[in-house]
Amino acid sequence: MTRRLYIYEHCPFCVKARMIFGLKDVPVELVWLLNDNEADPIRMIGRKLLPILEEDGRFMGESMDIVAHVDAMGEPALVGETNPAIAAWISSVSGPLYRLMLPRVACAPFPEFETTGARAYFVRKKEASTGMFAPYLESGTEQLAELNNQLPSLVSLIRSPDAVNGTLSTDDIHLFAVLHSLSVVEGVVYPPEVEAYRQMMSRLSNVPLMDAQAA
């Protein structure tokens, strides 16, 4: 079977879809699209949205639908129960995280920004919802302090470095995607338990963190 996953490197939803292939060791060809490429996603699923899974000419969008589809192949990997406290923690950091993450992503050397037009497209679209990027690049100390204040509260929720609730679950998909986004922000202080978890999940899922691009 020909299996391709169309993604952006920075995208947390794409990270979620990528993770399940790594966790289950299911082969997939990764295809990075330029951020201003509207035609291909619209042709595949009717709208400009990634990730998209292609299997023998059939297309599927929505990250968690892809996760469920792949996890149903053979023995499921995500069999653990979920913890509402994980979702609450993710919600508590989402505001400052994306205000800091998006401007830094826009400056990073990712495949989706290989052309000036693709990078400009991303900036234009995201600034329309977040406001100008410049203030968060020049002085985001308040948001960074908020994130660093929230990270210790995650420690008590991590039961194991290789599964936040002790057994792999969809909580791991959602939580690692957030920590992956956080990895592009310089100055984040990870408690040892959080650091161990994000490094282990990166290895298990075969999804590299963005530490090298942190700014």
Side-chain angles (χ1 to χ4, degrees), residues 25 41 56 78 121 128 142 162 177 185 188 207 212:
D25 197 25
D56 289 341
L78 306 177
Y121 177 99
E142 182 179 337
D162 55 10
V185 180
V188 176
V207 179

Side-chain angles (χ1 to χ4, degrees), residues 67-192:
V67 169
H69 172 73
V70 176
D71 198 34
M73 299 175 185
E75 191 72 22
L78 306 177
V79 297
E81 295 184 358
T82 59
N83 180 355
I86 299 295
W89 187 87
I90 290 172
S91 178
S92 75
V93 301
S94 61
L97 168 58
Y98 289 109
R99 284 192 290 272
L100 290 176
M101 183 269 279
L102 290 173
R104 286 155 177 80
V105 160
C107 300
F110 294 143
E112 57 264 37
F113 305 132
E114 282 187 351
T115 68
T116 301
R119 197 178 298 274
Y121 177 99
F122 177 84
V123 172
R124 183 172 67 252
K125 290 287 186 178
K126 297 303 182 183
E127 283 189 336
S129 59
T130 65
M132 297 294 289
F133 282 170
Y136 297 111
L137 281 170
E138 295 165 2
S139 178
T141 52
E142 182 179 337
Q143 288 76 24
L144 181 59
E146 187 174 348
L147 289 172
N148 282 332
N149 285 337
Q150 290 287 356
L151 278 164
S153 64
L154 181 58
V155 171
S156 63
L157 301 178
I158 298 176
R159 296 180 60 184
S160 170
D162 55 10
V164 67
N165 299 322
T167 303
L168 283 172
S169 69
T170 55
D171 277 351
D172 292 292
I173 302 293
H174 297 303
L175 179 58
F176 179 73
V178 168
L179 294 174
H180 181 272
S181 293
L182 192 57
S183 69
V184 81
V185 180
E186 190 175 38
V188 176
V189 180
Y190 299 101

Side-chain angles (χ1 to χ4, degrees), residues 4-6 17 44-45 49-55 57-70 73:
R4 297 186 182 92
L5 187 66
Y6 297 88
M44 290 186 241
I45 62 169
L49 193 69
L50 294 189
I52 298 171
L53 175 63
E54 178 185 1
E55 290 181 332
R58 297 184 299 273
F59 301 98
M60 174 184 289
E62 299 295 342
S63 60
M64 294 310 292
D65 288 349
I66 294 170
V67 169
H69 172 73
V70 176
M73 299 175 185

